Amino acid sequence: MKNNAIDEMLEGYNKNNIHIATICSHSSLQIFDGAKQEGFKTLGIRKEGSPVKFYEGFPLAKPDDYFVVKDYTDLLDRADELIEKNTIIIPHGSFVRYMGSENFFKLKVPTFGNREVLKWESDRSKQREWLNKAIVKTPSIISKPEEIKNVNGPVIVKYHGAGGGTKYFIALDKGDFEEKIEKKEHIIQEYIVGTRYYIHYFYSPLKNKGYKLSKGVLELRSIDRRDETNVDELYKIASIEKLRETIPITFTVTGNLGGIVLRESLLPKAFEMGSRVVEKSLELFGGMIGPFSLETIVTEEEENGNRELKFYTFELSARIVAGTNPYPRGSPYTPYIEEENMSMGRRIAREINVGLDSNRLHEILS
Ligand code: AMP
């Protein structure tokens, strides 16, 4: 939404009775828990008949109220009801997927972050353009199956819009590719062998103490590694060659592992990479605000006679990722950022509080 439309809506808001709302899924537990800790009311958006009993098992993270819809796209027609409740929406990956990015873009309710990012993030080639303009190394793209042999090793084939790695596959050559491919839009990417780190950043245009950018600061708050079926367990049968060949490899995310830290000498590179992505976003579309994640693989490569550790970024998520869920009370890095050990959910609510207190809420909502 245009900033003046947001300003108008916010003017009508009762700032003492703001509801933080999100769809009951993905990272909603920490979003509700964090919003409550920061003194906000919470609203869980859910579909009729969706499971809610599990929230009883987590009373601190249970939303104060539910907003029930027949279909998530109903939110478009029911925006007024949300405005009446002085609602600020916190988007997460499933929120955008369930609504569809075009509908999410049209939703006339103040939303945390800059929705302009969708134009650059949801289209794979625009996302790559952004990363490459920010001088962030990405895996090579193979435009034709005949060229698979041009990269030194296997490729990974990703279908467009596939959530969480579903149906991705690895191919060794053109023949292998043709045997496995389904008739759907896809990209063929160099398969990078290395160690995976999913780095969670927070960009605050409002804060000025910390790792400074041209405007605001960048925080590196945590890192996770995903657990993917069945690729992450294949090593157990790796020695049984015949058996391995009969099992199709899949990359469907089933969970996230926490407690991950980088060797300290990689931290400067991780900060520089994150800061270049934010600086470029400021230039391209006014900035990617709040949480974002770079999905990376670190490799060791020869350069000028030296062995160098290098980050490859294969994906960018421009909002809170489920990988922050292992850190409901902070990560190994958050104690070095602020006194309270807070989740990403609470960090978002804290930014909204800072925006409210300094009359700069319009700068972090869209
Ligand atoms: P994505 O949907 O791009 O997040 O990818 C899903 C999963 O596939 C990742 O978490 C990785 O395990 C794996 N993956 C994706 N791209 C690559 C790549 N270029 N090289 C190696 N593994 C990859």
Side-chain angles (χ1 to χ4, degrees):
M1 255 191 314
K2 288 271 176 294
N3 266 356
N4 43 5
I6 288 286
D7 287 350
E8 257 172 49
M9 276 178 199
L10 290 176
E11 251 166 54
Y13 269 28
N14 175 355
K15 306 281 183 338
N16 297 315
N17 192 26
I18 293 217
H19 278 81
I20 296 290
T22 197
I23 286 181
C24 293
S25 181
H26 190 268
S27 43
S28 68
L29 289 169
Q30 56 159 314
I31 292 174
F32 296 137
D33 174 54
K36 287 179 185 199
Q37 286 180 312
E38 288 293 303
F40 293 108
K41 297 233 175 73
T42 51
L43 195 58
I45 301 168
R46 65 178 188 86
K47 257 169 116 161
E48 258 172 32
S50 67
V52 278
K53 196 171 173 201
F54 75 98
Y55 281 113
E56 306 299 328
F58 303 114
L60 299 183
K62 183 185 163 192
D64 296 314
D65 223 336
Y66 293 106
F67 189 87
V68 183
V69 292
K70 279 214 172 70
D71 192 275
Y72 292 118
T73 51
D74 296 352
L75 289 173
L76 293 175
D77 295 327
R78 295 181 60 190
D80 290 352
E81 292 170 58
L82 291 168
I83 301 286
E84 238 167 72
K85 288 182 190 287
N86 312 296
T87 302
I88 295 176
I89 284 187
I90 313 295
H92 50 57
S94 299
F95 200 119
V96 178
R97 199 162 62 244
Y98 294 163
M99 270 200 89
S101 60
E102 279 174 26
N103 286 325
F104 171 68
F105 196 76
K106 286 191 263 178
L107 183 61
K108 287 198 166 59
V109 182
T111 297
F112 186 75
N114 181 0
R115 277 185 269 181
E116 289 294 317
V117 72
L118 281 168
K119 294 179 187 159
W120 287 86
E121 180 209 16
S122 52
D123 175 329
R124 279 194 200 276
S125 54
K126 297 263 301 181
Q127 183 183 120
R128 195 177 158 80
E129 185 189 331
W130 170 14
L131 289 172
N132 292 343
K133 279 185 168 161
I135 319 179
V136 167
K137 219 172 158 54
T138 51
S140 312
I141 295 290
I142 293 94
S143 50
K144 291 189 221 108
E146 295 74 48
E147 288 167 12
I148 292 178
K149 59 181 182 317
N150 293 355
V151 289
N152 268 338
V155 295
I156 181 164
V157 182
K158 305 179 180 185
Y159 293 108
H160 283 250
T166 310
K167 293 205 161 174
Y168 289 4
F169 65 88
I170 293 177
L172 293 172
D173 51 38
K174 185 171 174 258
D176 192 19
F177 169 86
E178 281 170 351
E179 227 170 77
K180 294 171 179 165
I181 190 74
E182 290 178 19
K183 271 208 166 121
K184 284 196 273 183
E185 259 196 282
H186 62 270
I187 55 157
I188 310 172
Q189 203 175 68
E190 175 188 14
Y191 186 87
I192 308 287
V193 182
T195 41
R196 291 174 298 132
Y197 297 99
Y198 302 74
I199 309 175
H200 319 137
Y201 301 89
F202 189 97
Y203 167 57
S204 167
L206 306 183
K207 205 170 150 183
N208 45 36
K209 249 198 195 153
Y211 190 94
K212 284 205 174 78
L213 303 190
S214 60
K215 179 186 176 193
V217 302
L218 178 70
E219 298 168 353
L220 190 162
R221 297 191 65 84
S222 51
I223 299 164
D224 82 297
R225 182 165 296 158
R226 287 183 187 165
D227 228 355
E228 294 164 352
T229 181
N230 56 14
V231 66
D232 286 329
E233 293 294 328
L234 286 179
Y235 67 93
K236 289 182 184 159
I237 53 163
S239 58
I240 314 168
E241 201 53 47
K242 276 220 165 68
L243 185 56
R244 265 284 297 104
E245 279 168 16
T246 63
I247 297 177
I249 304 175
T250 58
F251 290 85
T252 305
V253 182
T254 53
N256 301 85
L257 306 171
I260 308 247
V261 289
L262 281 173
R263 61 186 285 167
E264 204 158 307
S265 59
L266 281 173
L267 284 175
K269 285 185 185 169
F271 267 106
E272 281 154 25
M273 195 166 61
S275 67
R276 286 199 303 272
V277 173
V278 175
E279 293 291 6
K280 197 45 78 179
S281 77
L282 287 162
E283 217 179 289
L284 293 173
F285 55 86
M288 169 174 56
I289 290 154
F292 70 97
S293 171
L294 295 182
E295 301 181 9
T296 71
I297 300 172
V298 176
T299 61
E300 191 178 345
E301 289 175 24
E302 185 93 25
E303 198 172 89
N304 308 327
N306 294 321
R307 305 294 295 174
E308 270 266 355
L309 293 176
K310 288 206 168 135
F311 279 102
Y312 282 81
T313 298
F314 60 90
E315 181 78 67
L316 175 157
S317 299
R319 59 197 59 75
I320 185 168
V321 288
T324 58
N325 287 338
Y327 305 112
R329 292 291 178 269
S331 78
Y333 293 114
T334 50
Y336 310 136
I337 303 175
E338 64 246 320
E339 292 286 327
E340 309 97 319
N341 288 322
M342 64 172 84
S343 66
M344 192 64 97
R346 184 169 179 190
R347 178 66 188 88
I348 295 170
R350 171 66 58 88
E351 190 79 351
I352 292 172
N353 263 333
V354 172
L356 278 166
D357 291 345
S358 57
N359 237 343
R360 296 176 68 187
L361 201 51
H362 56 281
E363 290 183 41
I364 53 171
L365 304 182
S366 66

